[in-house]
Amino acid sequence: MGAAMTTVIREARADDWPAIWPIIHDVGTEQRTFPYDPAMTECAARGMWLLAPPARVVVAVGGDRVTGTANMYANRPGPGSHVASGSLMVAREARGTGVGRALATDLIGWARRSGFAAIQFNAVVDVNTAAIRLYESLGFVTLGTAPGAFRHPADGDVGLRIMWLDLR
């Protein structure tokens, strides 16, 4: 067995989109971890994911392959702009290999460097135990759960957590 592949996080470039789109499409059509419309078009996904500065979009790269992506931004405008948020997605074949941790750690570093007071994830699916364990291991806590707010294809109506990391 070969050596473990190193994951590098870098700013996304326009030519990364053909590798980002299949990840977003897979996650959306699985309907297990993100409240995205499974019928979302590539054009709609591109507009939603590739946010303009001061937001940031990154890719995780292992070898010559994009293995994950994240975007990060102020959670709300105006009086809520001191709290960051973001979304992280990992390619199906790279799940469980540390790509999610690398993306989350990068997001936390960006939020700190950018002067945000906290990070708030608005909709973590309650049965997405891998993500919840990862976020908790990085210091996030669950502030509350909206019961039944997510229609999971196998588990039925499950909760959506609001998760929080204080950076002060």
Side-chain angles (χ1 to χ4, degrees):
M1 190 149 176
M5 183 128 353
T6 302
T7 298
V8 174
I9 306 298
R10 65 165 170 76
E11 304 288 326
R13 303 181 303 242
D15 65 347
D16 288 321
W17 179 252
I20 294 171
W21 165 238
I23 297 169
I24 294 173
H25 183 262
D26 283 353
V27 169
T29 58
E30 287 169 358
Q31 300 180 60
R32 293 176 174 273
T33 57
F34 268 81
Y36 288 173
D37 182 349
M40 180 171 38
T41 65
E42 181 176 356
C43 183
R46 185 180 186 128
M48 177 221 34
W49 197 260
L50 298 182
L51 302 172
R56 180 169 177 253
V57 182
V58 299
V59 290
V61 179
D64 60 353
R65 296 185 51 121
V66 171
T67 56
T69 183
N71 61 20
M72 46 206 84
Y73 44 85
N75 191 45
R76 296 285 180 256
S81 64
H82 63 296
V83 174
S85 192
S87 297
L88 296 76
M89 292 188 182
V90 176
R92 184 181 293 126
E93 66 276 5
R95 293 177 190 159
T97 66
V99 173
R101 179 170 297 278
L103 288 166
T105 301
D106 180 80
L107 186 153
I108 293 166
W110 169 82
R112 285 187 193 284
R113 289 189 309 275
S114 300
F116 287 98
I119 300 169
Q120 179 177 319
F121 291 147
N122 300 310
V124 180
V125 177
D126 208 29
V127 294
N128 187 356
T129 54
I132 292 166
R133 276 196 311 266
L134 168 62
Y135 301 150
E136 288 176 345
S137 78
L138 294 170
F140 282 82
V141 296
T142 297
L143 297 180
T145 303
F150 184 85
R151 288 208 167 124
H152 192 278
D155 297 327
D157 291 353
V158 299
L160 283 177
R161 293 179 182 220
I162 298 172
M163 297 194 75
W164 178 266
L165 177 65
D166 196 318
L167 298 176
R168 292 173 286 204

